[in-house]
Amino acid sequence: MLIDGTHYRTIRPADDAESVEIIDQRRLPFAVEIERIRTYHEMIAAIHDMHVRGAPLIGASAAYGVYLACLEFSRDERGATDTALFDQKLERAMQELDAARPTAVNLRWAIERQRTATAAARTVADKINAARATADAIAEDDVAMCAALGRHGAEVLATVCESNGGRVVNVLTHCNAGWLATVDHGTVTAVLYEAAARGIPLHVWVDETRPRNQGSLTSWELSQNGVENTVLCDNAGGHVMQHGMVDAVIVGTDRTARNGDVANKIGTYLKALAARDNDVPFYVALPSPSFDPRIENGLKEIPIEQRDPSEVLTIRGARDGRIETVTLFAPGTRAANYAFDVTPARLVTGYITEKGVFTAEELEHALTDRPSAKIGDRRDMRRNDQ
Ligand code: MRU
């Protein structure tokens, strides 16, 4: 994607091949700072403290974290020759990386790909090469998947545009399912960029997304790439939907379960309820690594991250070019910080994937080799949700 006209990816191996470059997203949209990550512990901190964020980017970052761990262990005493010791340390590192954040399934998915690739390699040198090749492949696949997802989503918006007589299509989105949440293009934003490129007139309502205000990333990113947008405070979504100002809602996902339940940034569920009440179609941009067929019932089983309450009690912003944090509540105020919620499948109109647009009933068959569970079974699951 473009920043001031220059193309960037959110992560890339550095030229020295011994470190990885990321954009420190805590500084955005006020400063674009490239951070160099040299160790797998630094990568764990970058994921946990949200220098990098968004499910697909978390997956790619973890994959490069495994590569960094391989490099580190190969430098240890006996590391380059004792394969058993190397494997033991690597497995521990992969478990630590896997625990950096709990909700986005892309993290586990990427680690599992790395586990298979490194186990299949015999020597330490081969394991390093396998880890690097796998991390690169995960990053490249992500770029290709987002682009394909964007093409399918643009078809959806073309239909919306046609049905409203060719006037501007108003899309509402929550959080940042943008280029910054992936390696390139984004998921929701891939749809928007592709639709804009096809000449579909667009305007995007961008939810602020407290407490971390990822809406500021989305709005900045859209503006950098020429897509008209307006920020809304989180509570305004229902109002604009009631007044016919939203033609479609499109959100991302951190993990979508086998029954189609969608974990995404806290507040997504409320937008889905308002969309249903106002007959606004509600779409989920879902690249296949964010689909978790091992979880039958999203509402009951997807782990929801709880972050430090200080994120709710304070707010970050810029004054005179300096980033500052100010306190919003009285000293001693207690806060809860649920980072994600689950939107039941019954509120989702369709899932925009790299393979096409599907209903909850079609998802499993479309994204895995397995046949989807019978619709009757799904109804039973949904009944459990209520
Ligand atoms: O806590 P974050 O900022 O990592 O949460 C990000 C989201 O909820 C995104 O919507 C989701 O990861 C999809 S990104 C393509």
Side-chain angles (χ1 to χ4, degrees):
M1 277 296 113
L2 300 178
I3 304 178
D4 295 333
T6 303
H7 180 261
Y8 283 81
R9 281 190 176 182
T10 54
I11 190 164
R12 63 172 214 108
D15 293 338
D16 64 10
E18 299 205 333
S19 56
V20 174
E21 289 176 354
I22 60 166
I23 298 174
D24 183 353
Q25 299 195 20
R26 298 168 308 164
R27 314 275 304 160
L28 291 173
F30 309 111
V32 180
E33 278 179 17
I34 308 294
E35 184 181 359
R36 192 174 285 260
I37 305 290
R38 292 186 170 80
T39 66
Y40 86 90
H41 277 118
E42 283 179 9
M43 189 61 92
I44 290 171
I47 295 170
H48 181 267
D49 299 338
M50 294 174 68
H51 309 205
V52 285
R53 44 149 297 284
L57 181 56
I58 290 172
S61 303
Y64 279 113
V66 173
Y67 167 60
L68 293 176
C70 286
L71 291 175
E72 280 173 76
F73 300 146
S74 73
R75 289 184 211 114
D76 292 352
E77 207 187 335
R78 288 173 39 216
T81 47
D82 188 339
T83 320
L85 180 66
F86 181 94
D87 282 345
Q88 210 177 45
K89 286 181 168 180
L90 187 59
E91 178 52 36
R92 205 165 48 233
M94 288 194 283
Q95 285 174 16
E96 284 174 61
L97 279 157
D98 197 7
R101 289 190 76 186
T103 303
V105 69
N106 307 59
L107 184 50
R108 184 190 76 202
W109 170 86
I111 297 286
E112 282 180 358
R113 265 182 81 166
Q114 284 289 33
R115 189 174 280 124
T116 306
T118 51
R122 261 180 3 98
T123 65
V124 166
D126 288 346
K127 286 174 192 289
I128 296 171
N129 289 337
R132 170 63 191 267
T134 304
D136 288 348
I138 284 173
E140 290 306 326
D141 288 355
D142 182 62
V143 176
M145 265 187 268
C146 287
L149 186 156
R151 289 191 287 275
H152 292 297
E155 294 294 324
V156 172
L157 292 187
T159 309
V160 172
C161 186
E162 224 176 86
S163 67
N164 72 11
R167 66 167 170 77
V168 173
V169 175
N170 283 290
V171 175
L172 182 140
T173 193
H174 191 72
C175 193
N176 172 265
W179 155 68
L180 286 164
T182 64
V183 177
D184 206 345
H185 307 303
T187 59
V188 173
T189 53
V191 175
L192 301 172
Y193 297 140
E194 179 65 22
R198 291 184 190 188
I200 297 169
L202 271 186
H203 167 260
V204 184
W205 295 111
V206 178
D207 286 347
E208 163 199 34
T209 321
R210 276 281 289 152
R212 302 257 332 183
N213 303 313
Q214 285 92 337
S216 71
L217 303 175
T218 304
S219 154
W220 175 74
E221 186 182 315
L222 290 174
S223 299
Q224 287 286 334
N225 290 277
V227 177
E228 244 191 82
N229 65 91
T230 307
V231 173
L232 289 173
C233 73
D234 286 328
N235 297 329
H239 173 77
V240 289
M241 286 192 231
Q242 277 178 324
H243 289 271
M245 290 187 267
V246 181
D247 298 301
V249 177
I250 316 180
V251 299
T253 177
D254 290 82
R255 187 186 306 230
T256 291
R258 203 158 91 91
N259 69 345
D261 286 355
V262 175
N264 192 47
K265 182 52 54 193
I266 192 77
T268 303
Y269 170 50
L270 291 177
K271 299 302 145 68
L273 285 174
R276 174 54 55 93
D277 194 43
N278 292 285
D279 283 332
V280 173
F282 183 94
Y283 288 97
V284 175
L286 166 67
S288 53
S290 303
F291 180 62
D292 187 356
R294 293 187 212 170
I295 286 203
E296 291 237 333
N297 182 312
L299 192 54
K300 288 185 176 168
E301 297 170 59
I302 295 176
I304 298 295
E305 179 180 15
Q306 285 193 59
R307 296 186 61 84
D308 197 300
S310 65
E311 293 180 348
V312 174
L313 297 171
T314 61
I315 198 159
R316 276 156 66 92
R319 189 209 306 259
D320 301 332
R322 279 216 336 264
I323 297 171
E324 293 179 358
T325 300
V326 295
T327 303
L328 293 169
F329 293 87
T333 302
R334 208 164 58 197
N337 189 4
Y338 297 99
F340 300 94
D341 61 23
V342 175
T343 298
R346 67 187 146 79
L347 298 177
V348 179
T349 309
Y351 302 80
I352 304 169
T353 78
E354 74 275 14
K355 296 183 179 173
V357 183
F358 303 104
T359 62
E361 284 76 14
E362 295 165 334
L363 260 190
E364 188 177 14
H365 181 57
L367 298 186
T368 70
D369 296 334
R370 275 176 285 186
S372 293
K374 286 197 284 302
I375 288 174
D377 297 346
R378 294 189 180 283
R379 289 222 177 91
D380 291 346
M381 284 181 224
R382 285 185 204 172
R383 203 171 301 131
N384 287 342
D385 289 342
Q386 285 154 33

